[in-house]
Amino acid sequence: MANVTKKVSWSSRDEGTGESAPLLNGAGKDSARYSSQCLNSSILGRLSAVDLDDQSNEDTETSCLKEIPHSEKLLSSKYESLDYDNSENQLFLEEERRMSSLEFRMLEISRWVVCALIGILTGLVACFIDIAVEQLAGVKYNVVKHSIDTFTEVGGLSISLILWAALNAAIVVVGAVMVAFFEPVAAGSGIPQIKCYLNGVKIPHVVRLKTLVIKVFGVISSVAGGLAVGKEGPMIHSGAVIAAGVSQGRSTSLKRDFKIFEYFRRDTEKRDFVSAGAAAGVSAAFGAPVGGVLFSLEEGASFWNQMLTWRIFFASMVSTFTLNFFLGIYHGKVGDLSNPGLINFGRFENEAMEYNIYEIPLFIFMGVMGGVLGAIFNTLNYWLTIFRIRYIHRPCLQVTEAVLVAAVTATVSFAMIYFSDDCQPLGENQAEYPLQLFCSDGEYNSMATAFFNTPEKSVRSLFHDPPGSYNPQTLGIFTLSYFLLAFWTYGLTVSAGVFIPSLLIGAAWGRLFGIFLASMTNGSIWADPGKYALIGAAAQLGGIVRMTLSLTVIMVEATGNVTYGLPIMLVLMTAKIIGDYFVEGLYDIHIKLQSVPFLHWEAPATSHALTAREVMSSPVTCFSRLEKVGNIVDVLSNATMNNNGFPVVSEFSASDEPGRLCGLVLRSQLIVLLKHKVFVERAHSSLIQRKLQMKDFRDAYPRFPPIQSIHVSQDERECMMDLSEFMNPTPYTVPQETSLPRVFKLFRALGLRHLVVVDEENRVMGLVTRKDLARYHLGKHGLEEMQISQT
Amino acid sequence: MANVTKKVSWSSRDEGTGESAPLLNGAGKDSARYSSQCLNSSILGRLSAVDLDDQSNEDTETSCLKEIPHSEKLLSSKYESLDYDNSENQLFLEEERRMSSLEFRMLEISRWVVCALIGILTGLVACFIDIAVEQLAGVKYNVVKHSIDTFTEVGGLSISLILWAALNAAIVVVGAVMVAFFEPVAAGSGIPQIKCYLNGVKIPHVVRLKTLVIKVFGVISSVAGGLAVGKEGPMIHSGAVIAAGVSQGRSTSLKRDFKIFEYFRRDTEKRDFVSAGAAAGVSAAFGAPVGGVLFSLEEGASFWNQMLTWRIFFASMVSTFTLNFFLGIYHGKVGDLSNPGLINFGRFENEAMEYNIYEIPLFIFMGVMGGVLGAIFNTLNYWLTIFRIRYIHRPCLQVTEAVLVAAVTATVSFAMIYFSDDCQPLGENQAEYPLQLFCSDGEYNSMATAFFNTPEKSVRSLFHDPPGSYNPQTLGIFTLSYFLLAFWTYGLTVSAGVFIPSLLIGAAWGRLFGIFLASMTNGSIWADPGKYALIGAAAQLGGIVRMTLSLTVIMVEATGNVTYGLPIMLVLMTAKIIGDYFVEGLYDIHIKLQSVPFLHWEAPATSHALTAREVMSSPVTCFSRLEKVGNIVDVLSNATMNNNGFPVVSEFSASDEPGRLCGLVLRSQLIVLLKHKVFVERAHSSLIQRKLQMKDFRDAYPRFPPIQSIHVSQDERECMMDLSEFMNPTPYTVPQETSLPRVFKLFRALGLRHLVVVDEENRVMGLVTRKDLARYHLGKHGLEEMQISQT
């Protein structure tokens, strides 16, 4: 099995050594340097006398974790969990108790304000992307069209081809360079990353401002560069980043703290806002506020809270409204509300678009097709991704691949248009850039409508162009070539979504199916190709991403017509059932390939035989209430024991008997305590010192310094630390006999990070973390256990 | 404070003593009789040698609980909780471990089958109600119309009035008698009851077959009887009952056991199906499958599970489809899918129906109006309900009131029509029963459209009739009178929903508002009264029921047009915010008036000062692993200590020291054990006897016999019972210092019934149940604690 550098993983590379970062097999010198660094830092850590600045240390630390395995049978231990369970320690409770009910109300209002801001900013970002893409693509297409129009008569269309390919490549290279060199986590649609975040896995850099900026410009470049991608998926990531940023009232990247929303500086609150941001993103992308809420719930939430849901809904609403409003102004129709999303499918209204009960089997058949094609797409992309992980991991290679794809896309498009002789009369519904090419005057090349356009507009044409606008061959060739381009494109090191390409592929074969039906039935009124294009689009998208309820609602909201609710549901369900039979959804595949310890909805059905005893990690490093500082520093510095939560026990009575649980303390809390030197000079004597506040913990959140950056002198090592006030005195516990499904349910429902396993006398026997639960999955031969890789 | 008999409560009366059941203040003789009965049964219980048949005992028991308080500051201890947390005892685990992954898959498939059945049956029931109402109302209106047409010329319209009133009363009395005398829990819309069920509160008889039958015929009678009610709310209850019945594979009422779906015979599984049933009900009522799913989630679910949601969605879809299909056949249009729900709002398509951005403030204003009017409606209904609880509690009085309301409704309608001189030309959009009355030939009375029709059709007329169909006075008077009728009607002892009357009121004033706007702006195109009727309907409904996300989606699905999504959301939000400022939603009011221990989404914000120590019930009755049968019988028979869960402790070492927790056993489990006499003859010796299976527990579910029905001889009292195998060895526990919000979160997220509070050595210190948590609420002066009434 090949190991790969962290380059191709979602985690960001460390800037300093980025370009020369090595592949394990074949770069001896570099890896030697790295391992010596690792060793070095670990020694430094053990001496606990390091006082370097944060950044360089972070680099050292991350570069030690540079290889990740590619196999989906592994879980990487490098991903940490988020704390979705509040640590209810004394400080926290005191603060909460001090707050009056008026203050709680103010807090509630500020939550609404934050959601409004999230909505507005997400809408604005979507608006910016839309306008930028339209302008840039407009310039490009005009230049190319001019060139083609010029050269068609005189010959020399190859120059036009080169021009087109060069333009595409030039635009794409900008985005690819940004993503590959500066923030690899901004690649792709970002939906898998947000899924992981909402699931409780910390993906490094995923909600940082820098990621947002690169994502936005990356999307503009890849869409304008003519790749087979959409700008809708990345909006979900963008919304999430905006939410994470706004809700914290500060930006670590910009080093600005606005001193607002300080209460929200913890994982629990932040997650709620990120859900809202993701929903606002969907809402802006598809004009689907309800769909956005459902997306957030389907992908992320485990606990449904009415007020939270409602706030998410509000953010979604504001987002689509903002987008609508500003796009209305941009299009010169102030006050017009017909642009609720980046894409809308146009209005389906004529009589022919109604469906009859006898069409339902046809829809189900299309669902089956969507499922099969989706599975093929996912499988191909899976192999391609493994290939990429193995061989295309250096940024320069990645950029090269992106440029290559851009050029190939242009070439394929050109070839399609060139060899197609499908001329259509220039009618009222004419294309935006009608290419005459070899058609006679007053006609245009219909293949050009599909290729010589942004994918959104192509989708709309396929839905709405009157019957007869496309000939079957054109559609067939288009489907095939776009299918191949799209599967090649997803996973490139550019910011790009897979929704629109999927819809486009589906719409193309759906329309083809509709034309086929119409010819079979001698053109009955019901076999409207536009209707079948819509159903095909739903089927294909469902077959690839495998979302159900949320996707149904998104599609219905995007079509603006509830009539299609039932067929879309049927088609999505069928596509999911068929697709799941073969292979997982695209996002899940990518999550698995990153070895993320992702917790699904339920424990595997046959896991009742396992109990907490088998699942837990044991023995556990515990601290006592009054612990020696040196001890704590040593434990925290020990790289092989990368724990983040430590049970606090009352006494170690007998040396071999574990102590009674009396709390749980987090690594991050200990770090803050060490940083503020909250030491008791001598054991049992207490010095007057500044009392730590929740604020101190919040200020350090979320980038707690590594232990190596904290200087602890030899004297201080002899001091004691009183953890009573800072530990969570009421961690959730389970007895050792608890079955895995029961542990899982508790873990998932409460969003836990650590669950202490105790015996009947409340002694600490072990600790269950996310990785302990995520490693069991139902394979072909019953329950299987995944390996946990240390890298 | 007045106490009232259980007559008016949701719990069903015991049949034997039904008619003469007394009011506490003023019926000395009866209450004496009752208390002696109570005493009697309690003595019998203590002797534990009773061997009466189940039914009579159940009666005795329930009749002891006949008085419930009316104040909303009380929690009634008579409501028990459902076990939404599986008792994972050895039997259960063994069964689960025996199951192969194929069996789990079969189980999953049978879940889908059950959901399909739920959908089909719910659709059929909805279809039956629709057709029955239409037929019955058709006959009635034709008779009355004939009479009016006859008497208009010759005078003697009072005969028509009497005929109409008598017909209405006659139809309504059937339903009222059924509900009042046979199943009081079938009264009203059933939504509050289903909310409670999904929340985890057991409302007696709420999901029984008898309730369904009475509900269905009750709805038909009250809608056909011309009351200001709808048939939509009751569909939700009907769907839930169907789900509870189908999923159990047997009917206790019919004494038939089909020996299928036995695995689903426990609260956890049943709840999931009931959610699906409720969703299917909404879906059939409004043609809103997505809305149905959201309704179920918003009202019930706390833990969102993707597969479950999807199954719920499937049931909803099947339900609307079935309804559509059969109504299509009924209307003679086989294969037409234009009847997705009992009500649909018709198509909103013309240009005038589009809205502009400057109308948004108007919509918000309408939301405010809806909120205020809704609050008035709820307050009036609250007072009326208290009046009813105090004075109208006997079934005959209840029936009389229902008849009175029916007659008054007819009279008011007649007076409205009679005194209105609003004649409209008979156009294409003519009413179904156009009353000419005093209008000239070729015209009809427009007030009659609103009153002389089922409310569903009136709503549709208000939405779609062209501008000018109604004059403002007509609408004003209609709004006022219908408002009063509707608030009087809700809470009557008939099966009836409040959705349609709310929509109708809102549509009327909304249309009025639209007409006003049009006249202000000299009839601009945008001020279409139909559009404002729709917004008004949403505002009024939102102001009364206060649902948010689900209601938005239901409205959007019912209009069949996504365009109105944004304004409907805005209006519903505004209406909720404004309405909540004054008074709770209608359903919550009724839940509170029943003193149900309902758990909201979160603990009150300012409750961090409370810990499990203060909240828990203590001391707790515990059993030891090997417990004397006599002890168990005594504890279970003790009526003052009506516990349902008992911690099992390892040993009572010192007499005053509580034992270490090693499990939790439920009353229902103990009852089954006692019934099967699972005794160990002498302590520490074990006899060979039939091993109990999960099946034995399932067979007894859900109507476990009362302890009084179990005969235990004096010899047997000396035997021991080994609880190890039957107790749940891994109950969830919390330390005493856990804050209330933390306890609440655990309880709510996992749907617990009992939560054991332990000290640091795992000794049982107390037990937290639903009532302990539900009694805290945020009043005007901070945190308030409700009293728990023993009755």
Side-chain angles (χ1 to χ4, degrees), chain A residues 84-88 92-93 96-97 99-101 104-105 112 268 287 289-290 293-294 297-299 301-307 309-310 313-314 317 320-321 325 334-337 347-349 351 354-357 360 546 548-549 552-553 556-557 560-563 566 569-570 572-573 576-577 601-602 605-606 608-611 660-661 728-735 737-739 741-743 745-746 748-750 759-762 778 782, chain B residues 84-88 92-93 96-97 99-101 104-105 112 268 287 289-290 293-294 297-299 301-307 309-310 313-314 317 320-321 325 334-337 347 349 351 354-357 360 546 548-549 552-553 556-557 560-563 566 569-570 572-573 576-577 601-602 605-606 608-611 660-661 728-735 737-739 741-743 745-746 748-750 759-762 778 782:
Chain A
Y84 286 164
D85 181 44
N86 280 332
S87 173
E88 292 211 335
F92 175 82
L93 285 176
E96 295 280 311
R97 282 166 194 165
M99 282 171 73
S100 67
S101 93
F104 278 110
R105 205 162 298 154
W112 283 89
T268 333
V290 177
V293 175
L294 289 175
L297 291 168
E298 195 168 309
E299 297 304 342
S302 54
F303 185 71
W304 167 288
N305 179 316
Q306 201 173 25
M307 282 311 283
T309 314
W310 201 23
F313 190 32
F314 179 67
M317 221 173 79
T320 179
F321 189 79
F325 183 73
V334 182
D336 177 53
L337 296 176
R347 305 192 69 148
F348 287 85
E349 278 189 2
E351 287 297 309
E354 283 187 2
Y355 66 95
N356 278 292
I357 198 158
I360 298 235
R546 311 281 165 78
T548 54
L549 188 58
T552 308
V553 177
V556 168
E557 287 187 294
N561 195 324
V562 176
T563 322
L566 184 72
M569 285 171 217
L570 275 177
L572 288 177
M573 268 195 185
K576 182 173 163 73
I577 292 171
W601 294 99
E602 279 175 337
T606 53
H608 274 95
L610 289 169
T611 64
R660 290 230 168 80
L661 179 72
N728 176 5
T730 55
Y732 294 114
T733 59
V734 286
E737 297 80 31
T738 317
S739 70
R742 200 173 169 83
V743 173
K745 196 180 162 199
L746 183 68
R748 188 76 168 82
L750 299 175
D759 69 358
E760 61 279 0
E761 294 189 13
N762 208 27
L778 211 55
Chain B
Y84 286 164
D85 179 45
N86 280 332
S87 173
E88 292 211 335
F92 175 81
L93 285 176
E96 295 279 311
R97 282 166 195 164
M99 281 170 73
S100 67
S101 99
F104 278 110
R105 203 162 298 155
W112 284 89
T268 332
V290 178
V293 175
L294 289 175
L297 292 168
E298 196 168 308
E299 297 303 342
S302 53
F303 184 72
W304 167 289
N305 179 315
Q306 200 174 24
M307 283 311 285
T309 314
W310 200 24
F313 189 33
F314 180 67
M317 221 173 80
T320 180
F321 189 79
F325 183 72
V334 182
D336 177 51
L337 297 176
R347 303 192 71 147
E349 278 187 6
E351 286 298 309
E354 281 187 4
Y355 66 95
N356 279 293
I357 200 160
I360 299 239
R546 311 282 165 76
T548 53
L549 188 58
T552 308
V553 177
V556 168
E557 287 188 295
N561 196 324
V562 177
T563 324
L566 184 72
M569 283 171 216
L570 275 177
L572 288 177
M573 269 195 184
K576 182 172 163 77
I577 293 170
W601 295 99
E602 278 175 339
T606 54
H608 274 96
L610 289 169
T611 64
R660 290 231 168 79
L661 179 71
N728 175 5
T730 57
Y732 294 115
T733 59
V734 286
E737 298 79 32
T738 317
S739 69
R742 201 172 167 83
V743 173
K745 197 180 161 201
L746 183 66
R748 188 76 168 81
L750 299 176
D759 70 357
E760 60 280 0
E761 294 191 13
N762 207 27
L778 211 55

Side-chain angles (χ1 to χ4, degrees), chain A residues 241-258:
Chain A
V241 181
I242 290 169
V246 169
S247 65
Q248 303 300 295
R250 69 173 167 196
S251 162
T252 331
S253 311
L254 299 183
K255 301 204 170 23
R256 281 292 298 275
D257 189 341
F258 298 95

Side-chain angles (χ1 to χ4, degrees), chain B residues 425-438:
Chain B
L426 274 168
E428 283 179 22
N429 291 325
Q430 69 177 57
E432 208 164 337
Y433 312 101
L435 276 187
Q436 189 182 346
L437 218 61
F438 304 115

